[in-house]
Amino acid sequence: MQIFDVTDERFRPYGRIVHAGDLDELLTNLAAVPYPAEKMKSVANKTSLADTKAAHRLEQTFFGGLPTETGYCIGHNHLLNSLEFHSSSEINLAATDLVLLLGKRQDIHDDLTYDTDQLAAFLIPKGTAIELYATTLHAAPCEAPGQDGCRWLVMLPAGTNRDLEFSVNHDDPLNRLLFKTNTWLLAHPDAPVDGAFAGLVGENLRV
């Protein structure tokens, strides 16, 4: 698999590097979170991250003051396993070098399948902040070559990734993918996720 740098022109359809001022407080607090016993752990909102001047500045700058949550995805991972998207952009910060597998929501077929050979891999160096667009399919981060684990800050509109307490009709077929609040998910058959649509076709990519 070819891994492109996030500065490569190929990244432009998926997102952009953001210049967000001093993020040392977020990097330090993220580095203090221990690696989980399980392979990967995602937490939607972490007080030590959300209640920082840096997070409030990101909220104002990139979400226009919309209430947000600031959490993380931390652990050890080398596989694609699933792809998700949101109805909003997502702000991320890499606290280790890591690799993202990215695709385009527009490439989901009418039968709600997606071919994994359409994904592109990008290296996000430690300390880099990016915006992922709402049209970008993304997976949990993977460890970059030579790294032991990955640490990834995730900022999204408040309430994202809560358990669904409502049902939606499927007049819009895409709602078959609705997995959590503001999160639509496609799982790979080799890595089934309870309640998720197994729509990824092809290899469960390994970084």
Side-chain angles (χ1 to χ4, degrees):
M1 174 188 298
Q2 185 171 5
I3 300 174
F4 302 104
D5 193 85
V6 69
T7 58
D8 193 286
E9 191 72 13
R10 294 172 181 84
F11 182 68
R12 287 177 62 88
Y14 306 105
R16 65 188 180 105
I17 296 173
V18 299
H19 302 286
D22 185 358
L23 300 177
D24 285 350
E25 184 180 14
L26 288 173
L27 289 168
T28 298
N29 291 359
L30 196 56
V33 178
Y35 279 110
E38 60 267 39
K39 287 186 177 180
M40 289 294 288
K41 183 176 182 179
S42 295
V43 171
N45 198 61
K46 176 76 171 173
T47 301
S48 64
L49 301 173
D51 291 349
T52 60
K53 290 181 180 179
H56 292 311
R57 187 176 67 251
L58 292 172
E59 180 179 82
Q60 294 170 350
T61 303
F62 298 106
F63 290 92
L66 185 74
T68 61
E69 58 192 29
T70 305
Y72 62 78
C73 187
I74 289 178
H76 300 273
N77 183 47
H78 293 279
L79 289 169
L80 166 65
N81 291 334
S82 64
L83 288 170
E84 67 182 34
F85 66 88
H86 312 288
S87 64
S88 56
S89 284
E90 176 176 322
I91 297 296
N92 300 113
L93 173 64
T96 60
D97 291 353
L98 50 82
V99 174
L100 288 186
L101 296 170
L102 302 178
K104 298 173 185 176
R105 177 174 160 183
Q106 300 93 312
D107 291 332
I108 298 174
H109 300 299
D110 289 343
D111 63 358
L112 301 181
T113 60
Y114 177 87
D115 301 316
T116 63
D117 61 5
Q118 294 186 276
L119 290 168
F122 294 92
L123 174 67
I124 317 296
K126 179 181 178 179
T128 304
I130 64 171
E131 175 185 2
L132 288 180
Y133 301 141
T135 51
T136 298
L137 301 173
H138 52 283
C142 293
E143 297 168 45
Q147 293 288 309
D148 183 19
C150 48
R151 295 175 179 273
W152 187 231
L153 178 137
V154 179
M155 175 177 268
L156 283 158
T160 299
N161 281 320
R162 292 180 183 171
D163 289 339
L164 293 174
E165 297 179 351
F166 58 91
S167 58
V168 292
N169 65 52
H170 294 161
D171 292 344
D172 182 347
L174 205 63
N175 277 332
R176 291 177 63 192
L177 307 182
L178 186 61
F179 183 67
K180 300 276 188 179
T181 53
N182 192 31
T183 297
W184 288 256
L185 188 75
L186 286 159
H188 195 280
D190 291 347
V193 179
D194 265 357
F197 183 80
L200 297 185
V201 177
E203 184 182 353
N204 188 17
L205 298 177
R206 173 178 287 273
V207 174

